[in-house]
């Protein structure tokens, strides 16, 4: 009997310690009273409520990091029922709603907590970014915007060593690095996002002879025009020399001072020939085809052709001597003026960006509307002596500009991005092997574009505001060459008429994936069903007749998209849903989940959505909305280039997710204590920060 009483007292004491410890954590550790929130009653009065709230809060944090956001919402709401005024619970509840795609509810909780003094500028910035994103229509930019300098890469480093001289052209890469063409040193140089030299290329044999322009062909190869060499050099995507073509002269295939280049949809290469006052055209292998731009009855002829671009079958050529932009068809026939004479002072490169042409003109960069010829000034380098020779958009939403005179490459960003900084989110904390802690951190700009190319020294990790031990960048998702893909098969009656096309599409995508990720097939009928999941090879013999889901007059596409996304939350860091159907939706196809919440759910969890149409013509507005407001694109099943490029496009979608690790030095209180962690990402003049927390395993 005494033994049982002693055992009962021991259990009672353990429970009391647990509740008291929980209350101490809420009041002293900053979990429920941090960032301006204060304890509103004594520890003794809050012990029971705090203990129960702590248990639910801990479960909610764990569910959130597992990707079970609905479970996390339930746990945090339970925790709030015990302590309704604890703002950190509101913060986490808002984060769970945000990751679930219910951004309106997330903003409501964050705004209430912020209004009570919780979260400071960090929470206010998060609210502002999410609210602004909801106001954007998404998709491609339909009008140009103003840019300002966010930083630069100087020709000499901090130790006054020469990096490059007189840059004439810059070409961004999908991994955040860039090629810079150095006219003064006859080099092709690759820089990382921090301006460090990764590679130097002096050309083949005798080297470059005043390299002028640099472009990337559709097949990934690079072309360099050599102004003094009267030739064009071809390299592979890594900078390995392949061959040269062109020669000095005025005959077919000859050039005198080649400057800027462009490629059309057939792979033909256009080179502005300044010395011959014309445009030389070569096929994809460098064989001469023809030249144009000479004087005709209806055209006075090019005087000093510089920048060139090709868009939708029209060739646009800038003339630095007349200040005009002329239009030709791809056969060289004159079509008329886009911009009249003296519009520009000394135009240089001309690059296509959407339906606009970006032109460099002395100390300014303009966007030209290809429909109307109207101008918009994107940026200016000021009154200092400048000769801007090229301006191109990079993978991170900036414009890279080469200044020949000042010997710099400028990084120009939208003013809102420079002022507002980066949007950083700690998406997951893995503490299973504590004291080693692993963070998954997403870095974006305010327009939701992923920031790629960051290195270890672009992050700063602290816990409780103190630097961590043994910090390391473990990996970056943008470098991944695989993706998990879910094929969403529309089983509507109208789509079922294209069974053969659907079957071939699935087989072709499975073959294109090979071993580059896992494949899941979901059929969308009255209810969605998982038809297959595993390696892509297992779906190479896919048959429509084996589908478990029959054709239906009503297809719940909203439930199907949501189910597909749920399964991809914990998939590869690059993941996508590919809708395959005729693009038409049945009645009430989106009556359970709205389009806005679905797109937010996909975007907030880095899941792309692509549509593969089995019939020609425009898709219904719902499918179009999902496609345009998320990463991905629209494809036709019988496109000329096949469907293998669809898989490549998904894998090449930029991802700003980084994996960081460190050794924690905090006391865990046997796994009961909420442990804070903070991460800052910065590059040049921009930075962003996030704070979160986690629990170590129970002991």
């Amino acid at each position: 009997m005494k033994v049982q009483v002693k055992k009962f007292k021991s259990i009672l004491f353990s429970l009391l310690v647990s509740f008291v410890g929980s209350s101490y954590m809420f009041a002293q550790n900053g979990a429920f009273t941090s960032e301006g929130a204060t304890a509103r009653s004594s520890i003794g009065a809050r012990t029971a409520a705090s203990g129960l709230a702590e248990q639910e809060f801990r479960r909610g944090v764990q569910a959130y990091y597992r990707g079970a956001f609905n479970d996390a919402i339930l746990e945090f709401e339970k925790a709030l029922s015990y302590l309704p005024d604890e703002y950190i619970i509101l913060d986490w509840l808002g984060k769970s709603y945000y990751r679930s795609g219910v951004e309106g509810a997330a903003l409501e909780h964050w705004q209430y907590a912020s209004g009570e003094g919780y979260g400071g500028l960090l929470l206010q910035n998060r609210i502002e970014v999410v609210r602004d994103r909801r106001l954007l229509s998404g998709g491609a930019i339909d009008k140009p915007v103003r840019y300002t300098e966010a930083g630069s890469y100087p020709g000499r480093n901090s130790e006054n060593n020469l990096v490059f001289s007189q840059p004439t052209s810059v070409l961004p890469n999908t991994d955040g690095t860039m090629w810079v063409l150095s006219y003064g040193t006859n080099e092709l140089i690759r820089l990382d996002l921090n301006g460090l030299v990764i590679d130097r290329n002096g050309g083949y044999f005798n080297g470059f002879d005043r390299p002028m322009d640099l472009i990337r062909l559709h097949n990934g190869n690079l072309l360099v025009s050599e102004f003094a060499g009267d030739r064009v050099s071809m390299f592979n995507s890594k900078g390995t020399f392949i061959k040269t073509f062109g020669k000095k002269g005025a005959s077919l295939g000859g050039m005198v001072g080649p400057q800027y280049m462009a490629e059309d949809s057939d792979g033909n290469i256009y080179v502005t020939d300044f010395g011959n006052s014309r445009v030389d055209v070569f096929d994809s292998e460098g064989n001469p085809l023809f030249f144009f731009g000479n004087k005709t009855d209806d055209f006075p002829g090019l005087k000093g052709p510089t920048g060139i671009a090709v868009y939708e079958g029209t060739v646009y050529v800038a003339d630095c001597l007349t200040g005009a932009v002329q239009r030709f068809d791809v056969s060289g026939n004159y079509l008329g003026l886009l911009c009249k004479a003296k519009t520009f002072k000394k135009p240089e490169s001309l690059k296509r960006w959407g339906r606009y042409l970006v032109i460099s003109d002395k100390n300014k960069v303009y966007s030209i509307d290809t429909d109307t010829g109207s101008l918009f000034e994107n940026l200016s380098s000021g009154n200092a002596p400048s000769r801007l020779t090229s301006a191109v958009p990079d993978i991170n939403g900036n414009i890279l500009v080469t200044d020949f005179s000042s010997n710099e490459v400028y990084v120009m960003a939208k003013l809102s991005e420079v002022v507002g900084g980066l949007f950083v989110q700690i998406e997951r904390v893995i503490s299973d092997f504590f004291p080693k802690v692993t963070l998954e951190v997403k870095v974006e700009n305010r327009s939701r574009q992923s920031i790629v190319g960051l290195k270890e020294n672009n992050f700063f990790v602290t816990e409780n505001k103190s630097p961590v031990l043994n910090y390391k960048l473990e990996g970056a998702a943008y470098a991944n060459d695989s993706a998990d893909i879910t094929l969403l098969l529309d089983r509507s009656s109208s789509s079922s008429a294209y069974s053969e096309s659907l079957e071939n599409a699935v087989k072709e995508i499975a073959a294109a994936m090979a071993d580059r990720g896992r494949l899941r097939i979901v059929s969308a009928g009255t209810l969605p069903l998982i038809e297959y999941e595993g390696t892509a090879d297992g779906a190479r013999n896919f048959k429509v007749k084996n589908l478990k889901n029959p054709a239906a007059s009503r297809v719940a596409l909203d439930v199907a998209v949501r189910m597909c996304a749920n399964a991809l939350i914990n998939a590869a860091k690059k993941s996508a849903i590919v809708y395959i159907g005729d693009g038409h939706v049945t009645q009430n196809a989106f009556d359970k989940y709205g389009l806005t919440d679905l797109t937010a759910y996909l975007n907030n969890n880095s899941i792309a959505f692509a549509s593969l149409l089995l019939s020609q013509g425009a898709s219904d507005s719902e499918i179009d909305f999902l496609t345009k407001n998320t990463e991905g694109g629209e494809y036709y099943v019988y496109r000329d280039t096949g469907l293998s490029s669809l898989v490549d496009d998904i894998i090449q979608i930029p991802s700003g997710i980084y994996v960081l690790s460190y050794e924690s030095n905090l006391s865990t209180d046997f796994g009961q204590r909420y442990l804070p962690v903070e991460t800052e990402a910065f590059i040049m003049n921009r930075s962003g920060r996030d704070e979160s927390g986690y629990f170590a395993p129970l002991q």
Side-chain angles (χ1 to χ4, degrees):
M1 182 68 178
K2 290 181 179 180
V3 173
Q4 291 178 343
V5 171
K6 185 176 182 180
K7 184 176 181 181
F8 174 76
K9 288 181 177 179
S10 176
I11 294 173
L12 185 62
F13 177 76
S14 298
L15 290 172
L16 181 61
V17 168
S18 176
F19 279 128
V20 172
S22 299
S23 178
Y24 177 80
M25 182 191 77
F26 301 157
Q28 303 295 329
N29 189 51
F32 284 8
T33 58
S34 61
E35 300 292 343
T38 57
R40 281 157 291 280
S41 57
S42 67
I43 293 177
R46 298 180 61 201
T47 297
S50 296
L52 294 171
E54 185 273 338
Q55 294 177 37
E56 303 299 344
F57 180 73
R58 190 180 197 280
R59 294 191 189 104
V61 171
Q62 292 174 325
Y64 180 90
Y65 288 143
R66 290 197 311 270
F69 304 122
N70 289 338
D71 292 344
I73 289 170
L74 292 175
E75 297 296 343
F76 291 135
E77 287 181 339
K78 288 179 184 177
L80 273 178
S81 69
Y82 295 115
L83 294 175
D85 293 328
E86 293 296 356
Y87 303 128
I88 193 172
I89 306 178
L90 280 173
D91 186 10
W92 275 91
L93 181 57
K95 290 199 291 187
S96 300
Y97 273 119
Y98 174 79
R99 293 293 296 278
S100 294
V102 190
E103 293 181 337
L107 287 171
E108 182 181 342
H109 289 91
W110 287 337
Q111 285 168 340
Y112 179 78
S114 179
E116 294 297 318
Y118 173 86
L121 291 175
L122 188 63
L123 182 56
Q124 292 174 25
N125 181 69
R126 188 195 307 162
I127 292 170
E128 181 184 336
V129 171
V130 174
R131 185 193 296 120
D132 289 349
R133 285 178 172 182
R134 298 187 80 207
L135 297 176
L136 296 175
S137 61
I141 298 173
D142 60 357
K143 61 181 180 179
V145 295
R146 180 75 181 180
Y147 286 77
T148 188
E149 185 177 345
S152 68
Y153 303 105
R156 290 187 178 273
N157 59 24
S158 58
E159 299 175 354
N160 203 35
N161 294 322
L162 186 66
V163 180
F164 53 78
S165 174
Q166 297 176 312
T168 53
S169 185
V170 60
L171 182 65
N173 299 314
T174 56
D175 61 357
T177 64
M178 71 201 75
W179 294 102
V180 177
L181 207 54
S182 178
Y183 183 91
T185 60
N186 289 316
E187 288 181 300
L188 177 61
I189 301 165
R190 189 155 69 102
L191 304 178
D192 72 5
L193 202 64
N194 298 305
L196 299 178
V197 177
I198 301 173
D199 187 24
R200 288 184 179 273
N201 191 323
Y204 177 70
F205 195 54
N206 292 329
F208 291 121
D209 196 352
R210 299 307 180 196
M212 189 70 188
D213 191 26
L214 171 67
I215 66 169
R216 180 180 288 108
L217 301 177
H218 299 324
N219 61 12
N221 288 340
L222 308 178
L223 286 185
V224 176
S225 62
E226 300 182 51
F227 182 78
D230 301 316
R231 65 191 178 208
V232 174
S233 294
M234 182 182 294
F235 301 81
N236 67 14
S237 59
K238 296 182 179 180
T240 301
F241 177 82
I242 298 176
K243 64 181 178 181
T244 64
F245 59 88
K247 59 184 179 181
K248 185 178 182 64
S251 60
L252 182 64
M255 296 181 283
V256 179
Q259 293 212 24
Y260 296 97
M261 302 176 292
E263 182 187 22
D264 67 15
S265 58
D266 293 325
N268 294 326
I269 300 162
Y270 298 75
V271 185
T272 53
D273 186 341
F274 190 85
N276 289 318
S277 300
R278 69 190 190 192
V279 175
D280 300 313
V281 185
F282 301 83
D283 67 15
S284 58
E285 297 299 319
N287 301 308
L289 297 176
F290 59 94
F291 55 81
F292 64 89
N294 299 127
K295 182 178 180 180
T296 62
D297 292 339
D298 60 345
F299 176 53
L302 294 170
K303 307 302 181 185
T306 49
I308 187 168
V310 183
Y311 175 54
E312 292 189 342
T314 301
V315 182
Y316 300 90
V317 183
D319 195 312
C320 72
L321 296 183
T322 66
V325 175
Q326 308 283 359
R327 297 184 301 119
F328 303 84
D329 66 19
V330 291
S331 298
N333 298 307
Y334 181 62
L335 300 178
L337 284 166
L338 177 66
C339 300
K340 64 182 181 180
K342 298 183 180 180
T343 299
F344 304 103
K345 296 178 180 178
K346 193 174 179 59
E348 297 274 355
S349 74
L350 193 62
K351 305 293 183 181
R352 185 176 73 84
W353 192 3
R355 68 183 180 90
Y356 291 89
L357 303 176
V358 179
I359 188 168
S360 305
D361 183 34
K362 202 172 174 58
N363 66 333
K364 298 181 184 295
V365 172
Y366 299 93
S367 291
I368 309 173
D369 190 323
T370 54
D371 292 333
T372 65
S374 59
L375 301 183
F376 180 89
E377 184 182 314
N378 293 108
L379 60 94
S380 171
S381 62
N383 296 322
S386 289
R387 182 186 170 190
L388 306 183
T389 53
S390 72
V392 291
D394 74 357
I395 195 70
N396 291 326
N398 308 309
I399 293 183
L400 301 180
V401 183
T402 53
D403 191 332
F404 187 88
S405 297
S406 70
N407 197 33
E408 286 186 280
V409 177
Y410 300 120
V411 179
M412 314 297 284
K414 300 172 188 174
L415 183 61
S416 60
E417 301 291 348
V418 176
V419 175
L422 305 174
F423 189 53
V424 178
Q425 302 166 80
I426 299 174
E427 294 201 322
R428 181 169 298 176
V429 180
I430 303 170
S431 59
D432 297 351
F433 304 101
F434 191 88
K436 181 178 180 180
V437 180
T438 301
L439 309 178
E440 292 182 4
V441 180
K442 181 193 281 189
V443 185
E444 301 173 308
N445 65 18
R446 297 173 71 87
S447 302
R448 209 191 286 277
Q449 289 178 289
S450 293
I451 303 297
V452 306
L454 298 179
K455 305 300 180 184
E456 194 168 284
N457 58 352
N458 293 116
F459 292 93
F460 185 61
V461 182
T462 58
E463 48 182 15
N464 234 357
K465 310 299 189 292
S466 298
V468 298
L469 302 174
N470 300 323
Y471 156 68
K472 184 185 299 183
L473 174 62
E474 299 282 359
Y478 70 81
N480 294 354
D481 57 0
S482 62
D484 287 355
I485 297 176
T486 296
L487 303 182
L488 177 57
L489 311 185
D490 187 347
R491 296 294 289 151
S492 66
S493 300
S494 59
S495 290
S496 297
Y498 302 93
S499 294
E500 183 180 351
S501 299
L502 184 147
E503 188 171 291
N504 292 335
V506 172
K507 291 179 180 178
E508 192 172 348
I509 291 173
M513 284 186 67
D515 58 350
R516 297 188 292 172
R518 292 182 64 80
L519 179 67
R520 180 180 287 103
I521 300 175
V522 172
S523 58
T526 305
L527 292 173
L529 292 176
I530 298 176
E531 303 283 356
Y532 173 81
E533 52 185 331
T535 64
D537 284 343
R540 289 197 178 203
N541 296 318
F542 169 81
K543 300 290 184 184
V544 171
K545 66 180 182 180
N546 294 332
L547 291 174
K548 300 188 287 283
N549 222 344
S553 58
R554 181 190 178 280
V555 173
L557 275 177
D558 55 350
V559 178
V561 171
R562 186 86 186 186
M563 189 179 84
C564 292
N566 290 342
L568 291 172
I569 294 294
N570 294 314
K573 295 297 176 285
K574 290 183 177 180
S575 59
I577 299 169
V578 180
Y579 162 86
I580 306 179
D582 65 353
H584 302 304
V585 302
T586 61
Q587 189 175 10
N588 301 323
F590 291 90
D591 61 349
K592 187 169 184 180
Y593 298 102
L595 289 170
T596 301
D597 287 349
L598 281 175
T599 54
Y601 188 43
L602 297 173
N603 286 325
N604 296 346
N605 292 285
S606 304
I607 300 171
F609 185 93
S611 54
L612 177 57
L613 302 183
L614 300 175
S615 62
Q616 287 185 311
S619 59
D620 285 352
S621 59
E622 294 88 344
I623 301 298
D624 187 62
F625 184 91
L626 286 170
T627 305
K628 288 184 176 178
N629 287 276
T630 60
E631 297 280 7
E634 184 177 281
Y635 302 83
Y636 175 54
V637 67
Y638 293 118
R639 62 203 304 255
D640 294 338
T641 57
L643 298 181
S644 61
S645 61
L646 184 153
V647 177
D648 294 335
D649 290 346
I650 289 173
I651 292 175
Q652 290 170 10
I653 290 174
S655 175
I657 299 175
Y658 297 83
V659 180
L660 318 175
S661 69
Y662 66 94
E663 297 288 332
S664 177
N665 198 35
L666 297 178
S667 172
T668 70
D669 195 17
F670 302 102
Q672 297 285 348
R673 186 181 295 272
Y674 177 81
L675 306 178
V677 60
E678 308 88 33
T679 300
E680 182 176 4
F682 49 89
I683 177 170
M684 293 188 173
N685 297 327
R686 287 187 288 170
S687 66
R689 190 170 179 275
D690 193 23
E691 296 179 355
S692 190
Y694 65 96
F695 291 90
L698 289 170
Q699 297 179 4

